Amino acid sequence: MVATATLSILPKTSYKRHVSKYVSLMCYRILARAFSAVVTYHNKENRAKGGGICVANHTSPIDVIILACDACYAMVGQVHAGFTGMIQRAMSRSEAHIWFQRSEVKDRQAVSNRLKEHVSDPDKLPILIFPEGTCINNTSVMMFKKGSFEVGGTIYPVAIKYDARFGDAFWNSSKYNMIQYLLLMMTSWAIVCDVWYLPPMHRKEGEAAVEFANRVKHEIAQKGGLVDLLWDGQLKRMTVKEDFKKEQQKEYSKLLKVE
């Protein structure tokens, strides 16, 4: 926080961007040491470049730390209160991050416009997005929201796989608050994980955003050894829609159908 407060004093120049990069890497690597993180990065030549969008499967808030130890990103996410909100405000002092309220449709439209503006500038940091929109237990990859795939630009997929034998990185937010979760992470044996940078992907001509999202999701799941699921990860917090239930019932009835 002291480092980002100091950076906020500097004028917006190439020098500030240069200093911000090294300060960011230093801060995130210090945080990673607090979790005893042991990270192996594969295929670094595929790391996200300026003006692109980096998308990854989401297991934990420390996914950000794991990825930011190796490269700098502009973050996009939901506005939080408390300790997490304090961290978000500190981050925004050094780089232009995009925070939004999920419940505000107009704000989400504004976010989409800001994303398009951001990716149109190759001098800006690549945006880091977790399209699942919620933490999943690192055994599968669930439905990717199509929003980040409608923006345009180059998509840089990343697969993150944790080794639960040393410490389970999954954040069950209904069971632990942020402080409790961080204490669990810092008192685990270690946070061991592999990160694979996949080749950049582009939306094909005539390809729908949903189809593109599913194609990227499949590549991430395959590389990380995760199960590729079509279910919405938000179902753990919401009541399942009747239409969705009926659709699944129809599929199941086909399996039971006797010729």
Side-chain angles (χ1 to χ4, degrees), residues 43 45-49 52-54 153-158 197-203 212 215-216 219:
N43 309 117
E45 67 276 8
N46 293 326
R47 280 183 295 193
K49 295 178 175 58
I53 299 176
C54 176
T154 305
I155 297 292
Y156 295 88
V158 174
Y197 297 107
L198 280 66
M201 299 178 69
H202 299 84
R203 187 173 172 181
F212 184 32
R215 184 159 59 89
V216 173
E219 293 297 322

Side-chain angles (χ1 to χ4, degrees), residues 115-168:
L115 288 175
K116 290 178 181 178
E117 180 183 351
H118 190 105
V119 298
S120 64
D121 187 349
D123 293 329
K124 290 186 177 180
L125 292 176
I127 298 172
L128 177 59
I129 297 179
F130 300 101
E132 288 167 301
T134 188
C135 294
I136 309 299
N137 65 5
N138 207 228
T139 60
S140 59
V141 184
M142 294 198 175
M143 185 179 74
F144 276 10
K145 305 298 188 295
K146 66 177 182 177
S148 54
F149 299 91
E150 293 176 323
V151 174
T154 305
I155 297 292
Y156 295 88
V158 174
I160 307 173
K161 179 62 177 177
Y162 291 92
D163 190 337
R165 292 177 297 177
F166 299 95
D168 187 3

